[in-house]
Amino acid sequence: MLALGCNGAAPKPNVTFKANCTTADPSADAKLPAGKQADGSVLLPGGRRLTPAGKLLTIGGFPLAMRVLPGDRYVVVTDGADGDEALRLVDLQATGNPVISQIAYPAQNGGPQAPALFYGLALKKDGSKIYVSDGTFDGAPASETDPTKHFNVIEAFSLAGTPPALTSLPAEEIHLPFAANGSGRWPAGIQLSADEKTLYSVNQGDGTLSVIDLATSAEVGRTPAIGSVPYDLVLDPTGHTAYVSLWGGKPLGALMFTEGVVTVDVSTPTAPMPMGAPIVTGKAAEQLVAANGKIYVATSDADAIAVIDPQARSMTATGTALDASGLIGSSPNALAIDAAANRLYVANGGEDAVQAFDLGTMQSLGRIPTGWYPTAVAVLADGTVLIASGKGMGGGPLDSTPGSDFFAGTLQVVPKPSAADLTAGDATVHANLTRPSTLQVALTCTGTPRAFPLPADRGGPTPIQHVFLVVRENKTYDAVLGDLAGANGKASLVLFGEDNTPNLHALARRFVNFDNFYSNAEQSLQGHDWTTAGTVNDYGEKIWLNTWGRHTRPTIAFGNSGSGLDHLTTPGSKPIWQLLDAA
C-alpha cells in the first residue's frame, strides 16, 4: 500500500505534537471482502462496486471488439485474453450457453507461438464473412515463407448457415510481408472499402497502413511509418482518405510526442500515399467512428472524446469522459453511434460504465453501469445497447495463484435507455465508484488546530517530515501475515511467518495490517503502475495479455525505456514522482 504526505512546512524542532483527534471503528460495510456479495453485486479489489445493467451473458476471454450480424441476433467478438482466447459467435437470444460457435486460440508454451487475436474486425455488409486481425509474431526472420504459420496475418471466416457458424477460410488469409527490418507487423484496426474489394489495416509493429486487394489477398500499398502503435482507422465518405488513430502518438524526438490522428490519401495505393500532419486530439487515441459528417475519437489517457471536422482537418470539440468519481482515469476506449437517438455511447474502461453523449452538443446524458472494464459497445436497430467487458465480474480473492483464465469476459444486453435511465445510471455509477471514500472513518477532534498524524485539514499540522515508499512485491498478505492473531488471515497459506519476518509483524501490530486489501492487478506488470500511479491505462490493461502473458508480441513497454515506447504506459494522471516534483 501507499501513503503520501505533502502539506508544506515541516514542524518546528523541539515542538511536541499531540494528536487531538480520534477515529471510530470502520463500519461492517467497510469490512466486506472483495468478491461477489449477497445482493449479487461484486466488490472489486479497491472497494468499488459492480452492478451491471440489463441481461448479463458470460462469454469468456478478454473481449476487445465486436460486430453485429444483420438481423441483430448474433454478434462476433474478438479477444485479447492470455489463456482463454477465442473468436466467438454469440447468440443474444440463447437460453443456455450464449457462445454457439468459436475458434479457439490456445496458448503455446515453448517453440513457435500459436496464433493470437487482437482488436481488428471487418464484417461484410451481408454478414457472410468477417476478417479478423491476428497480430502474432514470434521473432521469425523475414525469410520465413511457410504459409501455414500465422505471422502478420489477417484471417477470413465464413458465417454461413442457420444459425451461422464460424468457418475458417485459409485460402483467403492475408499474409502481410514482414517489416523492412524483418520484424512483425501486428495488424490492429481493419476496415473494408465501400465496395468491399479492398481491406485497409493499421499495423502496430512498424506503424504503417496497408492496402490489401481482396481478389488476390495481397498487400498492394504500404505507407511509411505513420506514428507509434496505430490502433484504428476509419474512411471518409468518399473512400479517398483514411483517418488513423495513434495509440502512442507521433514521435517528435526524445520523450516528445504529438498525440492524435493522421490522415492518409489512399486513392492511389500503388503510389506513395500522402500523409497529413497529425490532428491533435489527446493522449492515446483509440477507436474512431464516423457520423453526421464528423469523426469521433476516443482518447483514453485524456479522458475525452475528440470531434474532428474532416473538411478542416482539425479538432472542433471534445466531450469529457471524466471519471464519475471526479478523478482522471476513466479510460474511454470504444465508441458506438445511435443515429436515431442522436447519441454517442462511450465505453469508459476505468469507471466500469458506458457514457452517453448528445451527438450535436457533446454534452453528457448519463451512464450505464457495466461489468469490470468495458472494452466494446454496439447499438442494435431498436436502440438496445450491447456492452462487452474485458474482466467480466472479476474472480474474487483466491487462496491459490490465479490461472490464465482467472476472469471471464461478459456481454451485456441493455434495452434502449431512456433519459431517466441514463440519469439514474449516472447516480449508480457515481455511488459505485465513490464507495471507498464514503466508508472512510471520520475524525472526531477536540480543540484547535485539528491535530492528527495525517493532516486532518489541507495544510494542517503534522509531525511527518519525510515519506518513504517501501514496496514488497509478489507475496500475498497471507504469505507473510496469515499467522497474525486477531486479523483476517489464513495461517495455512503462510510462507514467511513471524520467525522469518519479525519486524513486519511488529509493524503490523503497532500500526495497521491491511488484512482486507487486495491486489487490483492480475499480474505484477500492472501492479507496478498501480503502485506508482494509482491506475493502469488502457494500453497497459490490453497489451500485457499479449506481450508478457501469451508472448505473442515482443514486450515493447513496461519499463523498456530504451524503446521510447514507455510513453505509452504512462497514464494521463501521471505517476507520483512527476506529481511530487510539480508540487
Side-chain angles (χ1 to χ4, degrees), residues 477-535:
Y477 173 89
D478 287 310
V480 291
L481 287 174
D483 58 351
L484 188 68
N488 181 21
K490 186 171 286 189
S492 62
L493 299 176
V494 170
L495 296 178
F496 301 99
E498 188 160 10
D499 54 339
N500 300 112
T501 56
N503 291 340
L504 177 66
H505 279 68
L507 288 169
R509 290 192 181 96
R510 182 175 180 185
F511 296 105
V512 65
N513 57 39
F514 295 125
D515 61 349
N516 199 27
F517 280 73
Y518 306 89
S519 169
N520 211 22
E522 296 88 86
Q523 298 293 343
S524 59
L525 286 174
Q526 301 141 290
H528 297 164
D529 288 345
W530 275 111
T531 301
T532 58
T535 189

Tab-separated table of all heavy atoms in Angstrom, residues 477-535:
chain	number	residue	atom	x	y	z
A	477	TYR	N	-0.732	-11.089	1.268
A	477	TYR	CA	-0.866	-10.827	2.705
A	477	TYR	C	-0.701	-12.122	3.490
A	477	TYR	O	0.056	-12.192	4.462
A	477	TYR	CB	-2.225	-10.193	2.988
A	477	TYR	CG	-2.515	-10.050	4.472
A	477	TYR	CD1	-2.129	-8.913	5.161
A	477	TYR	CD2	-3.159	-11.075	5.174
A	477	TYR	CE1	-2.365	-8.787	6.521
A	477	TYR	CE2	-3.400	-10.969	6.535
A	477	TYR	CZ	-3.001	-9.822	7.211
A	477	TYR	OH	-3.230	-9.713	8.559
A	478	ASP	N	-1.438	-13.157	3.074
A	478	ASP	CA	-1.415	-14.409	3.831
A	478	ASP	C	-0.047	-15.076	3.803
A	478	ASP	O	0.292	-15.821	4.720
A	478	ASP	CB	-2.468	-15.377	3.287
A	478	ASP	CG	-3.877	-14.951	3.653
A	478	ASP	OD1	-4.121	-14.677	4.838
A	478	ASP	OD2	-4.730	-14.878	2.754
A	479	ALA	N	0.737	-14.832	2.771
A	479	ALA	CA	2.053	-15.465	2.686
A	479	ALA	C	2.983	-14.983	3.785
A	479	ALA	O	3.891	-15.706	4.202
A	479	ALA	CB	2.675	-15.192	1.318
A	480	VAL	N	2.749	-13.754	4.286
A	480	VAL	CA	3.646	-13.214	5.308
A	480	VAL	C	2.940	-12.851	6.608
A	480	VAL	O	3.573	-12.831	7.666
A	480	VAL	CB	4.414	-11.980	4.775
A	480	VAL	CG1	5.406	-12.388	3.704
A	480	VAL	CG2	3.465	-10.929	4.233
A	481	LEU	N	1.628	-12.567	6.555
A	481	LEU	CA	0.928	-12.166	7.776
A	481	LEU	C	-0.298	-13.032	8.062
A	481	LEU	O	-1.131	-12.678	8.890
A	481	LEU	CB	0.490	-10.700	7.674
A	481	LEU	CG	1.612	-9.662	7.791
A	481	LEU	CD1	1.071	-8.269	7.515
A	481	LEU	CD2	2.262	-9.715	9.173
A	482	GLY	N	-0.405	-14.165	7.378
A	482	GLY	CA	-1.543	-15.042	7.621
A	482	GLY	C	-1.606	-15.574	9.031
A	482	GLY	O	-2.667	-16.009	9.490
A	483	ASP	N	-0.484	-15.528	9.772
A	483	ASP	CA	-0.452	-16.033	11.146
A	483	ASP	C	-0.632	-14.930	12.178
A	483	ASP	O	-0.504	-15.177	13.377
A	483	ASP	CB	0.869	-16.763	11.403
A	483	ASP	CG	2.096	-15.875	11.178
A	483	ASP	OD1	1.929	-14.741	10.660
A	483	ASP	OD2	3.213	-16.317	11.515
A	484	LEU	N	-0.954	-13.709	11.728
A	484	LEU	CA	-1.111	-12.593	12.661
A	484	LEU	C	-2.419	-12.752	13.430
A	484	LEU	O	-3.509	-12.766	12.841
A	484	LEU	CB	-1.099	-11.266	11.900
A	484	LEU	CG	-1.063	-9.998	12.755
A	484	LEU	CD1	0.276	-9.879	13.484
A	484	LEU	CD2	-1.303	-8.765	11.892
A	485	ALA	N	-2.323	-12.878	14.736
A	485	ALA	CA	-3.504	-13.121	15.570
A	485	ALA	C	-4.465	-11.937	15.511
A	485	ALA	O	-4.055	-10.776	15.491
A	485	ALA	CB	-3.072	-13.377	17.011
A	486	GLY	N	-5.774	-12.261	15.475
A	486	GLY	CA	-6.797	-11.237	15.505
A	486	GLY	C	-7.065	-10.560	14.178
A	486	GLY	O	-7.868	-9.625	14.102
A	487	ALA	N	-6.413	-11.014	13.104
A	487	ALA	CA	-6.595	-10.393	11.789
A	487	ALA	C	-7.273	-11.380	10.845
A	487	ALA	O	-7.422	-12.566	11.152
A	487	ALA	CB	-5.244	-9.961	11.219
A	488	ASN	N	-7.691	-10.882	9.692
A	488	ASN	CA	-8.396	-11.697	8.706
A	488	ASN	C	-7.382	-12.391	7.799
A	488	ASN	O	-7.202	-12.024	6.643
A	488	ASN	CB	-9.339	-10.808	7.879
A	488	ASN	CG	-10.132	-11.591	6.850
A	488	ASN	OD1	-10.296	-12.797	6.976
A	488	ASN	ND2	-10.606	-10.909	5.826
A	489	GLY	N	-6.705	-13.387	8.333
A	489	GLY	CA	-5.686	-14.115	7.581
A	489	GLY	C	-5.921	-15.604	7.628
A	489	GLY	O	-6.857	-16.089	8.275
A	490	LYS	N	-5.067	-16.335	6.907
A	490	LYS	CA	-5.183	-17.791	6.867
A	490	LYS	C	-3.780	-18.368	7.085
A	490	LYS	O	-2.914	-18.296	6.206
A	490	LYS	CB	-5.765	-18.247	5.531
A	490	LYS	CG	-6.049	-19.736	5.473
A	490	LYS	CD	-6.840	-20.109	4.209
A	490	LYS	CE	-8.281	-19.674	4.327
A	490	LYS	NZ	-9.112	-20.228	3.208
A	491	ALA	N	-3.575	-18.926	8.255
A	491	ALA	CA	-2.244	-19.405	8.645
A	491	ALA	C	-1.733	-20.507	7.724
A	491	ALA	O	-0.520	-20.658	7.537
A	491	ALA	CB	-2.274	-19.892	10.095
A	492	SER	N	-2.648	-21.275	7.122
A	492	SER	CA	-2.210	-22.383	6.257
A	492	SER	C	-1.506	-21.890	4.996
A	492	SER	O	-0.852	-22.675	4.305
A	492	SER	CB	-3.414	-23.249	5.873
A	492	SER	OG	-4.356	-22.500	5.127
A	493	LEU	N	-1.653	-20.612	4.677
A	493	LEU	CA	-1.039	-20.064	3.464
A	493	LEU	C	0.281	-19.352	3.739
A	493	LEU	O	0.883	-18.793	2.819
A	493	LEU	CB	-2.010	-19.092	2.779
A	493	LEU	CG	-3.345	-19.691	2.324
A	493	LEU	CD1	-4.252	-18.597	1.760
A	493	LEU	CD2	-3.121	-20.781	1.289
A	494	VAL	N	0.728	-19.355	4.990
A	494	VAL	CA	1.944	-18.625	5.348
A	494	VAL	C	3.174	-19.270	4.706
A	494	VAL	O	3.367	-20.494	4.768
A	494	VAL	CB	2.119	-18.581	6.880
A	494	VAL	CG1	3.497	-18.041	7.238
A	494	VAL	CG2	1.040	-17.726	7.508
A	495	LEU	N	3.985	-18.440	4.076
A	495	LEU	CA	5.280	-18.885	3.543
A	495	LEU	C	6.437	-18.345	4.371
A	495	LEU	O	7.447	-19.009	4.549
A	495	LEU	CB	5.435	-18.417	2.094
A	495	LEU	CG	4.459	-18.986	1.071
A	495	LEU	CD1	4.717	-18.371	-0.304
A	495	LEU	CD2	4.582	-20.506	0.999
A	496	PHE	N	6.308	-17.120	4.853
A	496	PHE	CA	7.354	-16.479	5.657
A	496	PHE	C	6.692	-15.916	6.903
A	496	PHE	O	6.251	-14.768	6.933
A	496	PHE	CB	8.052	-15.372	4.867
A	496	PHE	CG	8.693	-15.855	3.602
A	496	PHE	CD1	8.063	-15.705	2.381
A	496	PHE	CD2	9.919	-16.500	3.628
A	496	PHE	CE1	8.648	-16.159	1.209
A	496	PHE	CE2	10.512	-16.970	2.466
A	496	PHE	CZ	9.870	-16.808	1.256
A	497	GLY	N	6.568	-16.747	7.919
A	497	GLY	CA	5.876	-16.374	9.144
A	497	GLY	C	6.711	-15.480	10.029
A	497	GLY	O	7.748	-14.934	9.631
A	498	GLU	N	6.256	-15.342	11.285
A	498	GLU	CA	6.890	-14.383	12.188
A	498	GLU	C	8.339	-14.746	12.487
A	498	GLU	O	9.155	-13.855	12.758
A	498	GLU	CB	6.091	-14.278	13.494
A	498	GLU	CG	6.602	-13.165	14.392
A	498	GLU	CD	5.587	-12.729	15.420
A	498	GLU	OE1	4.546	-13.411	15.583
A	498	GLU	OE2	5.830	-11.687	16.065
A	499	ASP	N	8.691	-16.011	12.399
A	499	ASP	CA	10.094	-16.364	12.623
A	499	ASP	C	10.984	-15.824	11.512
A	499	ASP	O	12.184	-15.619	11.711
A	499	ASP	CB	10.255	-17.887	12.736
A	499	ASP	CG	9.665	-18.636	11.545
A	499	ASP	OD1	8.814	-18.041	10.863
A	499	ASP	OD2	10.055	-19.794	11.322
A	500	ASN	N	10.417	-15.597	10.320
A	500	ASN	CA	11.171	-15.003	9.214
A	500	ASN	C	10.993	-13.493	9.129
A	500	ASN	O	11.872	-12.787	8.625
A	500	ASN	CB	10.730	-15.594	7.862
A	500	ASN	CG	10.929	-17.090	7.787
A	500	ASN	OD1	9.959	-17.835	7.735
A	500	ASN	ND2	12.178	-17.541	7.806
A	501	THR	N	9.843	-13.004	9.564
A	501	THR	CA	9.518	-11.584	9.365
A	501	THR	C	9.107	-10.936	10.676
A	501	THR	O	8.003	-10.381	10.784
A	501	THR	CB	8.391	-11.437	8.328
A	501	THR	OG1	7.258	-12.200	8.763
A	501	THR	CG2	8.829	-11.917	6.961
A	502	PRO	N	9.952	-10.936	11.695
A	502	PRO	CA	9.554	-10.366	12.995
A	502	PRO	C	9.315	-8.862	12.923
A	502	PRO	O	8.404	-8.353	13.589
A	502	PRO	CB	10.743	-10.698	13.906
A	502	PRO	CG	11.906	-10.872	12.972
A	502	PRO	CD	11.330	-11.486	11.738
A	503	ASN	N	10.096	-8.141	12.125
A	503	ASN	CA	9.916	-6.688	12.047
A	503	ASN	C	8.572	-6.351	11.407
A	503	ASN	O	7.857	-5.446	11.844
A	503	ASN	CB	11.047	-6.045	11.244
A	503	ASN	CG	12.372	-6.115	11.982
A	503	ASN	OD1	12.401	-6.289	13.201
A	503	ASN	ND2	13.465	-5.990	11.248
A	504	LEU	N	8.225	-7.075	10.338
A	504	LEU	CA	6.952	-6.828	9.669
A	504	LEU	C	5.792	-7.089	10.615
A	504	LEU	O	4.832	-6.316	10.669
A	504	LEU	CB	6.831	-7.710	8.425
A	504	LEU	CG	5.505	-7.600	7.675
A	504	LEU	CD1	5.341	-6.210	7.073
A	504	LEU	CD2	5.412	-8.654	6.585
A	505	HIS	N	5.868	-8.164	11.375
A	505	HIS	CA	4.789	-8.481	12.305
A	505	HIS	C	4.679	-7.413	13.397
A	505	HIS	O	3.572	-7.045	13.808
A	505	HIS	CB	5.021	-9.858	12.934
A	505	HIS	CG	4.585	-11.001	12.061
A	505	HIS	ND1	5.222	-11.323	10.892
A	505	HIS	CD2	3.542	-11.875	12.194
A	505	HIS	CE1	4.608	-12.368	10.334
A	505	HIS	NE2	3.589	-12.712	11.100
A	506	ALA	N	5.821	-6.914	13.855
A	506	ALA	CA	5.789	-5.860	14.877
A	506	ALA	C	5.151	-4.591	14.328
A	506	ALA	O	4.352	-3.935	15.012
A	506	ALA	CB	7.210	-5.577	15.359
A	507	LEU	N	5.475	-4.226	13.102
A	507	LEU	CA	4.871	-3.045	12.487
A	507	LEU	C	3.366	-3.234	12.311
A	507	LEU	O	2.587	-2.303	12.531
A	507	LEU	CB	5.534	-2.772	11.127
A	507	LEU	CG	6.962	-2.238	11.162
A	507	LEU	CD1	7.563	-2.274	9.753
A	507	LEU	CD2	6.995	-0.819	11.711
A	508	ALA	N	2.953	-4.444	11.898
A	508	ALA	CA	1.533	-4.706	11.680
A	508	ALA	C	0.755	-4.599	12.985
A	508	ALA	O	-0.391	-4.122	13.004
A	508	ALA	CB	1.341	-6.085	11.063
A	509	ARG	N	1.343	-5.039	14.097
A	509	ARG	CA	0.660	-4.953	15.383
A	509	ARG	C	0.584	-3.506	15.866
A	509	ARG	O	-0.418	-3.086	16.438
A	509	ARG	CB	1.389	-5.804	16.422
A	509	ARG	CG	1.264	-7.310	16.208
A	509	ARG	CD	1.749	-8.084	17.426
A	509	ARG	NE	1.645	-9.514	17.189
A	509	ARG	CZ	2.658	-10.278	16.768
A	509	ARG	NH1	3.852	-9.728	16.544
A	509	ARG	NH2	2.489	-11.553	16.564
A	510	ARG	N	1.643	-2.745	15.615
A	510	ARG	CA	1.711	-1.385	16.152
A	510	ARG	C	0.882	-0.403	15.322
A	510	ARG	O	0.283	0.515	15.868
A	510	ARG	CB	3.162	-0.919	16.196
A	510	ARG	CG	3.325	0.469	16.795
A	510	ARG	CD	4.781	0.843	16.921
A	510	ARG	NE	4.936	2.176	17.499
A	510	ARG	CZ	6.104	2.795	17.635
A	510	ARG	NH1	7.214	2.182	17.250
A	510	ARG	NH2	6.162	3.999	18.159
A	511	PHE	N	0.843	-0.632	14.013
A	511	PHE	CA	0.182	0.343	13.150
A	511	PHE	C	-1.047	-0.252	12.460
A	511	PHE	O	-2.148	-0.177	12.973
A	511	PHE	CB	1.181	0.905	12.117
A	511	PHE	CG	2.303	1.663	12.753
A	511	PHE	CD1	3.573	1.118	12.859
A	511	PHE	CD2	2.084	2.937	13.263
A	511	PHE	CE1	4.603	1.825	13.457
A	511	PHE	CE2	3.106	3.650	13.867
A	511	PHE	CZ	4.376	3.088	13.969
A	512	VAL	N	-0.880	-0.843	11.301
A	512	VAL	CA	-2.024	-1.338	10.531
A	512	VAL	C	-1.553	-2.531	9.707
A	512	VAL	O	-0.365	-2.630	9.374
A	512	VAL	CB	-2.598	-0.219	9.635
A	512	VAL	CG1	-1.603	0.198	8.571
A	512	VAL	CG2	-3.919	-0.614	8.995
A	513	ASN	N	-2.469	-3.452	9.395
A	513	ASN	CA	-2.022	-4.670	8.712
A	513	ASN	C	-2.628	-4.877	7.335
A	513	ASN	O	-2.241	-5.795	6.632
A	513	ASN	CB	-2.304	-5.908	9.581
A	513	ASN	CG	-3.768	-6.051	9.950
A	513	ASN	OD1	-4.648	-5.777	9.127
A	513	ASN	ND2	-4.054	-6.470	11.180
A	514	PHE	N	-3.599	-4.051	6.922
A	514	PHE	CA	-4.167	-4.153	5.575
A	514	PHE	C	-4.678	-5.562	5.266
A	514	PHE	O	-4.451	-6.094	4.187
A	514	PHE	CB	-3.141	-3.735	4.512
A	514	PHE	CG	-2.744	-2.298	4.600
A	514	PHE	CD1	-1.420	-1.927	4.715
A	514	PHE	CD2	-3.705	-1.308	4.551
A	514	PHE	CE1	-1.055	-0.594	4.793
A	514	PHE	CE2	-3.353	0.030	4.621
A	514	PHE	CZ	-2.023	0.401	4.750
A	515	ASP	N	-5.343	-6.179	6.230
A	515	ASP	CA	-5.769	-7.565	6.033
A	515	ASP	C	-6.981	-7.695	5.126
A	515	ASP	O	-7.360	-8.805	4.758
A	515	ASP	CB	-6.033	-8.253	7.376
A	515	ASP	CG	-7.139	-7.571	8.194
A	515	ASP	OD1	-7.547	-6.455	7.818
A	515	ASP	OD2	-7.574	-8.149	9.203
A	516	ASN	N	-7.618	-6.579	4.747
A	516	ASN	CA	-8.750	-6.648	3.816
A	516	ASN	C	-8.467	-5.798	2.581
A	516	ASN	O	-9.362	-5.197	2.002
A	516	ASN	CB	-10.041	-6.180	4.498
A	516	ASN	CG	-11.285	-6.649	3.755
A	516	ASN	OD1	-11.262	-7.666	3.070
A	516	ASN	ND2	-12.371	-5.907	3.870
A	517	PHE	N	-7.211	-5.750	2.189
A	517	PHE	CA	-6.818	-5.112	0.936
A	517	PHE	C	-6.411	-6.197	-0.044
A	517	PHE	O	-5.901	-7.245	0.350
A	517	PHE	CB	-5.651	-4.138	1.156
A	517	PHE	CG	-6.078	-2.813	1.710
A	517	PHE	CD1	-6.466	-2.705	3.031
A	517	PHE	CD2	-6.083	-1.677	0.927
A	517	PHE	CE1	-6.857	-1.489	3.571
A	517	PHE	CE2	-6.476	-0.455	1.453
A	517	PHE	CZ	-6.866	-0.358	2.781
A	518	TYR	N	-6.620	-5.916	-1.332
A	518	TYR	CA	-6.373	-6.927	-2.356
A	518	TYR	C	-5.657	-6.293	-3.535
A	518	TYR	O	-5.782	-5.096	-3.796
A	518	TYR	CB	-7.702	-7.540	-2.839
A	518	TYR	CG	-8.541	-8.076	-1.714
A	518	TYR	CD1	-9.455	-7.262	-1.052
A	518	TYR	CD2	-8.398	-9.391	-1.280
A	518	TYR	CE1	-10.212	-7.739	0.000
A	518	TYR	CE2	-9.157	-9.878	-0.232
A	518	TYR	CZ	-10.062	-9.053	0.416
A	518	TYR	OH	-10.799	-9.527	1.459
A	519	SER	N	-4.946	-7.109	-4.275
A	519	SER	CA	-4.264	-6.615	-5.475
A	519	SER	C	-5.291	-6.211	-6.518
A	519	SER	O	-6.196	-6.978	-6.837
A	519	SER	CB	-3.349	-7.703	-6.050
A	519	SER	OG	-2.885	-7.317	-7.324
A	520	ASN	N	-5.135	-5.006	-7.071
A	520	ASN	CA	-6.050	-4.541	-8.108
A	520	ASN	C	-5.512	-4.861	-9.497
A	520	ASN	O	-5.925	-4.263	-10.483
A	520	ASN	CB	-6.271	-3.031	-7.976
A	520	ASN	CG	-7.660	-2.631	-8.435
A	520	ASN	OD1	-8.563	-3.452	-8.466
A	520	ASN	ND2	-7.835	-1.382	-8.794
A	521	ALA	N	-4.574	-5.778	-9.566
A	521	ALA	CA	-3.973	-6.157	-10.841
A	521	ALA	C	-3.835	-7.666	-10.887
A	521	ALA	O	-3.631	-8.317	-9.860
A	521	ALA	CB	-2.599	-5.507	-11.000
A	522	GLU	N	-3.954	-8.213	-12.100
A	522	GLU	CA	-3.813	-9.658	-12.241
A	522	GLU	C	-2.357	-10.092	-12.144
A	522	GLU	O	-2.042	-11.194	-11.713
A	522	GLU	CB	-4.362	-10.128	-13.597
A	522	GLU	CG	-5.843	-9.905	-13.802
A	522	GLU	CD	-6.131	-8.540	-14.377
A	522	GLU	OE1	-6.103	-8.380	-15.602
A	522	GLU	OE2	-6.365	-7.610	-13.594
A	523	GLN	N	-1.446	-9.212	-12.590
A	523	GLN	CA	-0.027	-9.553	-12.599
A	523	GLN	C	0.788	-8.346	-12.143
A	523	GLN	O	0.300	-7.218	-12.093
A	523	GLN	CB	0.417	-10.000	-13.997
A	523	GLN	CG	-0.275	-11.248	-14.518
A	523	GLN	CD	0.076	-12.496	-13.742
A	523	GLN	OE1	1.066	-12.517	-13.009
A	523	GLN	NE2	-0.718	-13.548	-13.889
A	524	SER	N	2.075	-8.593	-11.856
A	524	SER	CA	2.912	-7.525	-11.322
A	524	SER	C	3.165	-6.418	-12.335
A	524	SER	O	3.471	-5.286	-11.958
A	524	SER	CB	4.252	-8.093	-10.838
A	524	SER	OG	4.938	-8.726	-11.897
A	525	LEU	N	3.016	-6.710	-13.639
A	525	LEU	CA	3.225	-5.662	-14.630
A	525	LEU	C	2.257	-4.507	-14.403
A	525	LEU	O	2.648	-3.336	-14.394
A	525	LEU	CB	3.039	-6.228	-16.045
A	525	LEU	CG	4.171	-7.112	-16.550
A	525	LEU	CD1	3.795	-7.722	-17.886
A	525	LEU	CD2	5.453	-6.325	-16.685
A	526	GLN	N	0.981	-4.819	-14.204
A	526	GLN	CA	0.027	-3.754	-13.881
A	526	GLN	C	0.272	-3.230	-12.471
A	526	GLN	O	0.082	-2.040	-12.200
A	526	GLN	CB	-1.403	-4.278	-13.969
A	526	GLN	CG	-1.794	-4.823	-15.327
A	526	GLN	CD	-2.664	-6.053	-15.144
A	526	GLN	OE1	-2.192	-7.088	-14.713
A	526	GLN	NE2	-3.929	-5.933	-15.468
A	527	GLY	N	0.700	-4.113	-11.593
A	527	GLY	CA	0.958	-3.709	-10.217
A	527	GLY	C	1.994	-2.605	-10.099
A	527	GLY	O	1.900	-1.739	-9.224
A	528	HIS	N	2.980	-2.622	-10.989
A	528	HIS	CA	3.973	-1.545	-10.975
A	528	HIS	C	3.295	-0.202	-11.211
A	528	HIS	O	3.621	0.807	-10.562
A	528	HIS	CB	5.028	-1.791	-12.051
A	528	HIS	CG	5.825	-3.032	-11.832
A	528	HIS	ND1	6.585	-3.621	-12.817
A	528	HIS	CD2	5.985	-3.825	-10.745
A	528	HIS	CE1	7.167	-4.704	-12.353
A	528	HIS	NE2	6.811	-4.851	-11.092
A	529	ASP	N	2.364	-0.174	-12.170
A	529	ASP	CA	1.684	1.080	-12.469
A	529	ASP	C	0.722	1.469	-11.346
A	529	ASP	O	0.595	2.649	-11.007
A	529	ASP	CB	0.917	0.965	-13.793
A	529	ASP	CG	1.849	0.946	-14.998
A	529	ASP	OD1	3.021	1.307	-14.824
A	529	ASP	OD2	1.406	0.570	-16.092
A	530	TRP	N	0.023	0.486	-10.777
A	530	TRP	CA	-0.849	0.798	-9.647
A	530	TRP	C	-0.039	1.402	-8.501
A	530	TRP	O	-0.480	2.330	-7.820
A	530	TRP	CB	-1.552	-0.471	-9.161
A	530	TRP	CG	-2.798	-0.801	-9.915
A	530	TRP	CD1	-2.991	-1.854	-10.763
A	530	TRP	CD2	-4.028	-0.078	-9.919
A	530	TRP	NE1	-4.257	-1.824	-11.297
A	530	TRP	CE2	-4.917	-0.740	-10.799
A	530	TRP	CE3	-4.465	1.083	-9.274
A	530	TRP	CZ2	-6.211	-0.293	-11.028
A	530	TRP	CZ3	-5.756	1.529	-9.503
A	530	TRP	CH2	-6.607	0.841	-10.372
A	531	THR	N	1.153	0.863	-8.253
A	531	THR	CA	1.971	1.318	-7.139
A	531	THR	C	2.468	2.743	-7.340
A	531	THR	O	2.517	3.529	-6.402
A	531	THR	CB	3.172	0.374	-6.950
A	531	THR	OG1	2.684	-0.950	-6.716
A	531	THR	CG2	4.024	0.794	-5.769
A	532	THR	N	2.824	3.083	-8.569
A	532	THR	CA	3.454	4.378	-8.809
A	532	THR	C	2.508	5.426	-9.376
A	532	THR	O	2.851	6.611	-9.393
A	532	THR	CB	4.644	4.227	-9.774
A	532	THR	OG1	4.184	3.655	-11.014
A	532	THR	CG2	5.711	3.328	-9.175
A	533	ALA	N	1.329	5.020	-9.858
A	533	ALA	CA	0.411	5.985	-10.456
A	533	ALA	C	-1.019	5.852	-9.959
A	533	ALA	O	-1.855	6.689	-10.277
A	533	ALA	CB	0.428	5.864	-11.976
A	534	GLY	N	-1.330	4.803	-9.217
A	534	GLY	CA	-2.685	4.633	-8.721
A	534	GLY	C	-3.676	4.176	-9.771
A	534	GLY	O	-4.872	4.097	-9.510
A	535	THR	N	-3.188	3.848	-10.963
A	535	THR	CA	-4.066	3.393	-12.040
A	535	THR	C	-3.219	2.687	-13.088
A	535	THR	O	-1.991	2.764	-13.069
A	535	THR	CB	-4.817	4.584	-12.674
A	535	THR	OG1	-5.811	4.086	-13.582
A	535	THR	CG2	-3.875	5.497	-13.426
